Each structure stands twice: as C-alpha cells, then as structure tokens.
Amino acid sequence: MDILKQIADELKLRQTQVEAAVALLDDGKTVPFIARYRKEQTGSLDDQTLHTLSDRLNYLRKLEERKQEICDAIAAQEKLTPELEKAISAAQTLVEAEDLYRPFKQKRKTKASVAKARGLQPLADLLMAQDHKTDPEKEAEVFVNEELEVPDTAAALSGASDIIAETVSDDADLRKRLRNVLSLRGSLTVKAVDPDEDSVYRNYYDHSEPVERAAKHRILAVNRGEKEGYLKVTITMPEGLGEQIVTKTYVKNQSPSGQIVEAAALEAYKKSLLPAVQREVRAALTEAASEQAITVFASNLRQLLLQPPMKGMITLGLDPGFRTGCKVAVVDPTGKVLATDVVYITANSAQAVAGG
C-alpha cells in the first residue's frame, strides 16, 4: 500500500504536500510548528488538515505493521496461503485484519479447542458436508472414547457442534457482512434503567432510531446517560435478518446433519457474532460522534476568537516572525478584515530592500 498516495487521495491534496508534511512530522516537528513556520514546504497546509493527515498517517502505519505481524504469525504456523496473504494485504481497517487473523489466533482453552483435542474435528467436517445419507448418530459412534472423555454419541455430537460454532464465529467475510448490515439497517435502541426515576435523559427513556441516521449529538448524549446509569443502549438487528444471513451462508439443506449445523451456526450468531459486531458498530458511532463534536467546538471557538477585539475601534494585529516576516491584519470595529500583509520589522538589509 502506498500510504502517502492514499492520504493525498483521501484529503484531496497534492502528493508533494503530503510528502513534505510527513517528512517534517517524522523529523519530530509538531503540527503547530509546521502550520506556522513551514508553510512554504507544505503548500500552506493549515493545522486542522495537518492534524487529520497526522492521525491518518499513524493509523495507516499501524495497520500496515499489524498486517505484517499477522502474516508472520500465520506463516509461523505454516498456514499462510497466497489467497489469505492477499486478503490480509487488502484489508482497509484494523478490524478487517483482525477478523482474518481470528481463526489462526492462539486462543484460550475453548469448548472447540477441547473438542479438537478429543479428535472430533473429522466428525465436524463430516457434519458440515451435510450429506443427506449421513446419519449423525451412527457416525458419532466411531468417536466415542472413554479415555478422551467422549463417553457417548451425544458428547461427540456436542463437541462437533462446538467446532462448527467456532468456525462460523471466526468467518471474517460473515463478520464483515453482518457489520455492514447492522450499520445500514440496524437501530439504536435506548431504554431507561428505571423509568420512574427522573433525569435529564428522560427524552431517551424509550427511544429508537436507525443507526445510519442517528444524530451525532444524540449518540454522545445516550453514551453519557448509559455511563451515569440512567440508560441501557443497544444496537439491534432487524428481526430475523442476522439469523437469515448466517443460515444462508452455512446451511445447505434440512438433512439431519444440516439441522445440527443450523443449530450450531445460530448459537454462534447469538453468543459471539452479534455481540461482537454490536460492539464494533457502537465504537464506530462513538468515534464519529466525538470527531464531529471536536469539529463543532473548533468552529465555535473560531467564531469566538474572531469577535471584534475592541468595541468601536479599528484594530491592528501583529504576528511576530523573523525569517518569514511579521504577519499583519487590520479589522474594523465590527471585526471585518480590512487588510492583511507581511512586513519585515526585524529584517536584514536585503529583506528590507526587497520588502520596500
């Protein structure tokens, strides 16, 4: 990935501007310093653009570093295929990269890992094939083993179901699809912890709106209400839609094996997939709302700072500078800018001549 080109495209800047700004940032220069004293190098990028550029640069570098770590970890397990490596390289976010790594991550002891250790992976694979001719009970008899703590066919089928559920839960493409559907068609649902208790959040005691159209200020408001213990906030999927997506992805038919796969897939959706994507969508909403709040605050502060400095008087403002000269601005009694210029009050003789 060409990070500098991507940033230039996203921020609609010339690549030379991005290259110059990145070089200065990498050299340890701060955003305020670059915005004020290195305008000639960056093409007069302001501090807001530079902050956005810096944040995006750090994120993309972290993403590239993490993708390399993931590839190295999977390669160490000798499971890195060209297709998987290509998918990891194409990941646009850390969440997508982690989803791809999830099936290969060293997990704590889980029901599925215990079932695999008991030799039940082949039974899970057989059930996933969902052949109409397969009799799950009969096939499970082969895997009954007292020494491996598989006392009967029910235990064998239960272990195989755990393996299937983890497979469904670790499906990166399925997670991405559910996340997108929840973002586009889900609802932000808010309920009161105690409907009888009065608070400033009463307007949200029984509130619901589409996630896609949820106002940023309301997201921050319900977050505060939840933190203070007045509200319960959830991101809800349209009734039955998530289950439908999961079953269409994994269930081929209603054979005995297919019914076991369906039950395991729905269990994975309920206990793992849905809570995970709900957390991710909620976090994305909060991040976007917080960024907008900062932007609004900055705009309001700008208007405050641009108020007339002295009532009824024309005012001259001076921003001292040596190498690049002193910036001068004149505003009328209403705050309207009358004139701006650069003067060399501290100029050497050559600059003084050049500046007239």
Side-chain angles (χ1 to χ4, degrees):
M1 178 192 295
D2 187 340
I3 291 178
L4 302 190
K5 184 178 185 304
Q6 181 174 340
I7 293 174
D9 292 341
E10 289 178 359
L11 301 184
K12 295 180 173 55
L13 301 173
R14 298 191 304 276
Q15 188 159 342
T16 53
Q17 289 179 290
V18 175
E19 290 171 353
V22 170
L24 290 166
L25 290 168
D26 287 344
D27 194 40
K29 304 296 188 294
T30 64
V31 166
F33 177 87
I34 297 170
R36 185 168 182 179
Y37 299 113
R38 292 295 181 267
K39 291 182 178 181
E40 70 279 6
Q41 294 184 35
T42 65
S44 299
L45 294 180
D46 59 31
D47 54 355
Q48 185 173 350
T49 302
L50 286 166
H51 273 298
T52 303
L53 186 154
S54 178
D55 290 344
R56 191 61 177 151
L57 175 67
N58 291 334
Y59 181 87
L60 292 176
R61 282 179 170 174
K62 183 179 179 181
L63 174 61
E64 288 301 304
E65 181 181 346
R66 182 57 181 155
K67 288 196 288 189
Q68 186 59 53
E69 290 173 353
I70 289 172
C71 286
D72 292 343
I74 298 175
Q77 301 176 34
E78 299 182 353
K79 296 178 180 178
L80 184 63
T81 64
E83 294 77 12
L84 179 57
E85 185 174 14
K86 183 178 179 180
I88 294 171
S89 297
Q92 296 296 307
T93 65
L94 284 168
V95 171
E96 289 182 20
E98 293 296 341
D99 282 350
L100 290 166
Y101 180 42
R102 185 180 175 85
F104 307 94
K105 188 180 294 186
Q106 297 299 319
K107 300 182 178 71
R108 296 175 300 172
K109 189 175 181 180
T110 64
K111 290 183 178 180
S113 65
V114 171
K116 289 176 183 178
R118 291 173 178 169
L120 296 174
Q121 180 69 59
L123 178 58
D125 294 339
L126 185 64
L127 295 174
M128 286 287 282
Q130 300 172 58
D131 190 330
H132 281 281
K133 297 178 181 178
T134 300
D135 182 345
E137 287 286 342
K138 185 176 181 180
E139 297 294 342
E141 291 175 0
V142 180
F143 297 90
V144 174
N145 188 322
E146 291 286 351
E147 292 182 2
L148 293 177
E149 298 182 27
V150 185
D152 50 35
T153 58
L157 291 172
S158 177
S161 294
D162 291 334
I163 296 173
I164 294 170
E166 186 171 90
T167 300
V168 174
S169 177
D170 288 345
D171 188 329
D173 289 335
L174 180 59
R175 279 176 170 259
K176 183 176 181 179
R177 185 178 177 192
L178 288 170
R179 188 162 50 244
N180 290 340
V181 170
L182 190 60
S183 298
L184 295 173
R185 300 182 61 182
S187 297
L188 176 69
T189 304
V190 187
K191 299 290 183 182
V193 173
D194 181 1
D196 297 326
E197 183 177 5
D198 195 20
S199 75
V200 296
Y201 304 105
R202 177 162 289 281
N203 289 341
Y204 300 106
Y205 277 12
D206 188 13
H207 176 79
S208 180
E209 63 180 313
V211 168
E212 191 178 22
R213 297 200 296 272
K216 303 295 189 295
H217 67 277
R218 286 200 290 272
I219 291 169
L220 295 178
V222 299
N223 284 355
R224 289 193 300 271
E226 183 180 48
K227 186 176 181 180
E228 293 174 20
Y230 292 104
L231 304 175
K232 293 183 292 185
V233 185
T234 56
I235 306 293
T236 56
M237 185 79 79
E239 186 71 28
L241 181 57
E243 293 87 344
Q244 181 182 357
I245 291 171
V246 171
T247 53
K248 279 191 174 182
T249 303
Y250 278 95
V251 180
K252 300 177 183 177
N253 52 54
Q254 284 300 307
S255 64
S257 297
Q259 292 176 26
I260 293 174
V261 171
E262 181 177 11
L266 292 176
E267 185 75 3
Y269 171 75
K270 179 181 177 182
K271 290 189 174 181
S272 178
L273 281 170
L274 182 59
V277 296
Q278 284 174 327
R279 288 192 299 269
E280 291 162 2
V281 171
R282 180 88 184 274
L285 287 174
T286 299
E287 182 179 1
S290 298
E291 289 178 357
Q292 188 188 66
I294 293 171
T295 301
V296 171
F297 176 81
S299 176
N300 292 340
L301 179 61
R302 176 180 175 82
Q303 295 303 318
L304 182 64
L305 294 175
L306 287 176
Q307 287 182 356
M310 300 179 69
K311 185 177 180 180
M313 299 184 68
I314 297 175
T315 307
L316 180 144
L318 186 69
D319 179 14
F322 291 88
R323 183 173 55 84
T324 58
C326 301
K327 289 75 176 175
V328 179
V330 181
V331 297
D332 70 8
T334 68
K336 179 183 177 182
V337 178
L338 299 176
T340 60
D341 205 346
V342 178
V343 298
Y344 294 92
I345 299 174
T346 59
N348 57 35
S349 57
Q351 289 174 320
V353 171

